[in-house]
Amino acid sequence: MTIELRPWGESDAGHLLRAFRTSDDLATQVGDANLSTLDRCQEFIALQLAPSSQSVRNFAISVDGAAVGNVGIGNMEHRHDTGWVYYWVSAEARGQGLASRALASAARWAFDQRDLFRLELGHRLNNPASCNVALKAGFAPEGIERQKLKYEHQRYDVETHARLRSDPTPEIELFKTH
């Protein structure tokens, strides 16, 4: 099995569509995006996932060539050398440690390739799986932001985690990153 982090491409639209259809919770990860058709998935990849800049980079979590998730770093800025990390894995690919390894790999890329010092992330308190991903990837909890997120009419508390370049490297196998 070949697992790597790589750029998103138009050919990943079918994989994104499958992930969206089989992962009920993925809609919250992509905001208002409608990923119900192959064309819409191609457009989302072209506009949101594939473009790379000094402030944003997304990686497809690829298993034997199939995109099964995403790990991204946004809000990268170099005055303070910080960035915001986010991730998701399709329901079918969960439980294999892919998200933790992808997150740790993306962090290493951000520290080495973008010379960032601090990476932050947040997860809803009612999502313990996301918390476990962050902890395994070396992101220490820093506090609770009360009612930070709103999905439909419900507000959620968020736990913030961070990892510094100077923190110990987690004992986790990293993916090859392109």
Side-chain angles (χ1 to χ4, degrees):
M1 181 174 353
T2 303
I3 306 171
E4 63 185 354
L5 298 184
R6 60 165 175 77
W8 282 86
E10 187 177 317
S11 63
D12 292 318
H15 302 295
L16 181 59
L17 180 60
R18 179 178 174 85
F20 187 74
R21 287 182 175 167
T22 61
S23 308
D24 293 338
D25 58 344
L26 188 54
T28 38
Q29 298 294 328
V30 297
D32 295 334
N34 177 350
L35 302 180
S36 61
T37 68
L38 192 61
D39 287 343
R40 290 182 185 268
C41 288
Q42 287 173 332
E43 181 179 1
F44 186 75
I45 289 170
L47 297 176
Q48 300 295 322
L49 297 176
S52 180
S53 70
Q54 284 299 101
S55 63
V56 177
R57 176 70 190 266
N58 285 287
F59 295 97
I61 303 169
S62 177
V63 177
D64 292 332
V68 300
N70 181 72
V71 61
I73 307 161
N75 298 320
M76 288 187 275
E77 64 85 25
H78 290 285
R79 178 168 187 225
H80 301 289
D81 298 325
T82 60
W84 182 263
V85 185
Y86 46 91
Y87 47 89
W88 59 263
V89 175
S90 69
E92 296 175 323
R94 293 179 189 156
Q96 303 173 49
L98 296 175
S100 297
R101 291 175 62 196
L103 179 56
S105 300
R108 177 55 38 214
W109 177 88
F111 295 146
D112 292 348
Q113 301 301 314
R114 292 291 172 92
D115 201 29
L116 296 182
F117 180 78
R118 177 184 171 86
L119 295 173
E120 302 172 358
L121 64 84
H123 64 82
R124 295 183 320 272
L125 284 184
N126 69 340
N127 189 349
S130 189
C131 184
N132 288 334
V133 166
L135 293 171
K136 288 179 185 176
F139 284 74
E142 292 195 326
I144 306 297
E145 296 177 271
R146 299 177 308 135
Q147 299 187 18
K148 180 176 183 175
L149 299 179
K150 179 182 174 188
Y151 296 112
E152 296 181 10
H153 302 290
Q154 178 80 30
R155 297 214 66 95
Y156 295 91
D157 291 349
V158 171
E159 182 172 50
T160 302
H161 292 243
R163 182 166 163 203
L164 308 179
R165 184 182 334 150
S166 57
D167 286 344
T169 301
E171 293 186 18
I172 192 168
E173 183 181 355
L174 300 180
F175 296 140
K176 185 177 181 180
T177 305
H178 302 279

